[in-house]
Amino acid sequence: MLSELPTAAELAAHCDRAARLTNQARPEKLADVPRGWARLRAGGEADEFASTGFNRVHWFTLGSPITDGELHETIGVLRSRGVSRAFLWMSAAGCAGAGAEALERAGAVRVPHVRYLVLVRDAAPCAPARETSLSVRALRVDELPGVLSAVGERFSPESARAACILVEAGIAEAFAAYDGGTPVAFAALIPDRVGPGFGHLGWAGTIERSRGCGGQSGLIAARVSRSHQLRLRWCVSETNTAIPTSLRNLMRHGFSPVIEWSVFRWDDRAGTKELADSPGSCDSERR
């Protein structure tokens, strides 16, 4: 039952922690902004989709509307890094009422048509929702480069390097589905032991010729079961409705949507309301 699941605030805080942990391994720089943080790389005008865009501002934990002043300072940070397009991810509270008006004044436009969801279920022994001839198992650190190379069509070199860094650092655990001795699908688990404990399911990818063979079903079940072994209380995953396969697969394994992120695109171009260039007092960079 939804009433038995963690609160939206607990989930938002977890998703924020998980994003910070995983983004440490990416080549973009991280910068503080008012009541949130950003992942930044100069440019960004070619970024078309929010889920794959390099430049992101994270306002997952906002409990009240974003303000003109906070947007003013944040856009100063973006401009100071040469960012021309960024996607702003926030809680529903962040863009409610006056927040929506402030975003419009700043030239931010809601991403249309696609819903960005956070789904949850309990961590417990779990069986795949469909039968498969593929075998699924956890990976040793030394196996990871070979597996990521084999499924390279699903992961950029940057993403593959980041996955290796996270697993080597003990931040994430890696799993693969095999067709015989050949890896055909990959996924990761990010344990978060804060509070009741969360297992964050992410980094899922299956090579084209093996889609529909049950690899991701096996990988979901393996990571839910592993979360239970680690004595975590909940399993969490984020997906969107652009390609609903992942959403359907998660729901077949008992996941329920609890949060929907509000996502906006900001472009720094003529015609948007000018905000003064200012890096702001919260502009502290780290890797």
Side-chain angles (χ1 to χ4, degrees):
M1 299 293 291
L2 289 179
S3 61
E4 299 172 345
L5 295 175
T7 67
E10 289 174 321
L11 281 175
H14 157 70
C15 289
D16 189 68
R17 289 191 299 271
R20 283 178 180 266
L21 283 171
T22 57
N23 278 288
Q24 290 176 25
R26 292 184 58 89
E28 293 85 17
K29 296 181 182 294
L30 305 184
D32 289 332
V33 299
R35 290 201 287 163
W37 58 281
R39 184 185 82 191
L40 303 175
R41 161 188 308 194
E45 62 276 359
D47 290 348
E48 184 177 0
F49 304 110
S51 56
T52 57
F54 291 131
N55 294 308
R56 295 174 53 143
V57 177
H58 291 256
W59 278 312
F60 289 169
T61 59
L62 290 182
S64 59
I66 198 75
T67 68
D68 288 296
E70 289 167 337
L71 287 166
H72 177 110
E73 191 168 343
T74 297
I75 290 174
V77 173
L78 300 180
R79 286 175 170 162
S80 73
R81 307 301 170 82
V83 171
S84 54
R85 174 177 294 170
F87 292 94
L88 318 178
W89 294 66
M90 65 180 64
S91 66
C95 58
E101 297 169 2
L103 287 159
E104 183 177 1
R105 284 190 290 271
V109 179
R110 188 184 290 269
V111 174
H113 310 308
V114 181
R115 300 176 65 197
Y116 298 89
L117 304 172
V118 181
L119 298 96
V120 189
R121 62 152 288 164
D122 62 314
C126 181
R130 58 178 297 183
E131 294 183 2
T132 178
S133 61
L134 304 179
S135 60
V136 174
R137 65 176 177 83
L139 299 175
R140 301 187 310 271
V141 172
D142 63 293
E143 296 178 296
L144 191 54
V147 169
L148 288 169
S149 177
V151 297
E153 70 183 64
R154 299 301 305 152
F155 297 96
S156 68
E158 287 180 355
S159 293
R161 283 193 296 272
C164 289
I165 291 169
L166 293 169
V167 174
E168 289 171 358
I171 294 171
E173 297 187 7
F175 298 77
Y178 288 80
D179 184 357
T182 303
V184 297
F186 173 83
L189 173 70
I190 299 94
D192 173 14
R193 299 184 184 280
V194 175
F198 300 85
H200 201 99
L201 281 62
W203 297 67
T206 304
I207 64 173
E208 185 69 32
R209 65 178 173 82
S210 295
R211 290 185 181 179
C213 296
Q216 288 301 328
S217 182
L219 288 165
I220 290 171
R223 289 175 291 165
V224 171
S225 297
R226 176 58 176 160
S227 296
H228 176 69
Q229 293 174 352
L230 293 171
R231 299 181 182 274
L232 304 173
R233 179 67 185 89
W234 305 108
C235 291
V236 181
S237 191
E238 298 179 70
T239 190
N240 62 63
T241 58
I243 301 176
T245 305
S246 294
L247 176 59
R248 290 196 297 263
N249 211 0
L250 288 163
M251 294 186 72
R252 279 195 292 266
H253 287 84
F255 283 80
S256 298
V258 175
I259 293 178
E260 180 171 346
W261 300 129
S262 297
V263 183
F264 294 79
R265 192 182 83 184
W266 172 81
D267 287 285
D268 195 10
R269 62 190 181 200
T272 61
K273 183 176 178 60
E274 282 297 321
L275 295 178
D277 291 354
S278 170
S281 59
C282 293
D283 183 16
S284 61
E285 181 181 299
R286 60 196 184 282
R287 290 295 290 178

